[in-house]
Amino acid sequence: MNGSSAVEDDQEHGPHGPDTVFAAGCVLWRHAPAAEEGIELCLVHRPKYDDWSHPKGKLKAGEDALAAALREVLEETGHRCVPGARLPSVSYTAAGRPKHVVYWAAETRSGSFAASSEVDAIVWLPPSAARHRLTQPRDRALVDSLLDALRTA
């Protein structure tokens, strides 16, 4: 899977202005046979915003979008993961600037969480509970996209 073209295409051809902030993230999941839905999703709590979201962050200069997404998952959750299907991108305004975030489904492989000033807690929840915990509706839609991607994989 090649992650480099996603943001490059968006930057060159999409409806984004020069002040658009580009970011990438993952809907991180793991098998959970005991859970009713068979999987759990990892959500991060950001104390700066007091919100629950999927791990994501800004791209560094020249950074590949998929590499950025995997880096952000590791930095925010302590988990290494394997990327899967590309999920829908999300655009919104943050701090008065347009922001465009590309997402992938990603299955955790290993790791352990350590709190930081950026993310002070994570939680693993079944998709239905994750939908309710997520602060932004745009993040809830990504749960459905993940479930669709896993069904068709």
Side-chain angles (χ1 to χ4, degrees):
M1 176 177 287
N2 179 357
S4 63
S5 63
V7 169
E8 290 170 9
D9 287 348
D10 288 340
Q11 288 173 333
E12 293 173 8
H13 306 293
H16 306 291
D19 60 340
T20 298
V21 175
F22 289 94
C26 293
V27 179
L28 185 63
W29 66 278
R30 69 182 180 190
H31 288 282
E36 184 177 320
E37 298 170 76
I39 65 168
E40 293 176 324
L41 309 184
C42 181
L43 306 182
V44 299
H45 181 261
R46 303 179 306 166
K48 179 178 178 180
Y49 305 106
D50 190 23
D51 70 351
W52 289 94
S53 67
H54 302 291
K56 65 182 175 300
K58 296 175 191 165
L59 274 66
K60 295 179 179 179
E63 187 176 27
D64 173 86
L66 181 54
L70 299 177
R71 175 183 53 76
E72 286 293 335
V73 167
L74 183 60
E75 289 176 3
E76 294 187 359
T77 71
H79 285 259
R80 295 187 185 285
C81 59
V82 175
R86 170 80 188 270
L87 300 176
S89 298
V90 177
S91 294
Y92 56 96
T93 301
R97 291 181 64 193
K99 188 169 188 175
H100 185 78
V101 187
V102 295
Y103 285 95
W104 282 266
E107 184 179 3
T108 188
R109 287 293 191 238
S110 64
S112 61
F113 175 72
S116 69
S117 60
E118 187 177 355
V119 174
D120 63 353
I122 66 169
V123 64
W124 288 94
L125 298 170
S128 57
R131 234 185 247 102
H132 292 293
R133 179 75 62 98
L134 286 161
T135 304
Q136 296 295 328
R138 64 180 169 258
D139 290 334
R140 294 180 197 128
L142 288 165
V143 173
D144 297 325
S145 296
L146 170 73
L147 295 175
D148 288 344
L150 292 177
R151 274 190 218 93
T152 59

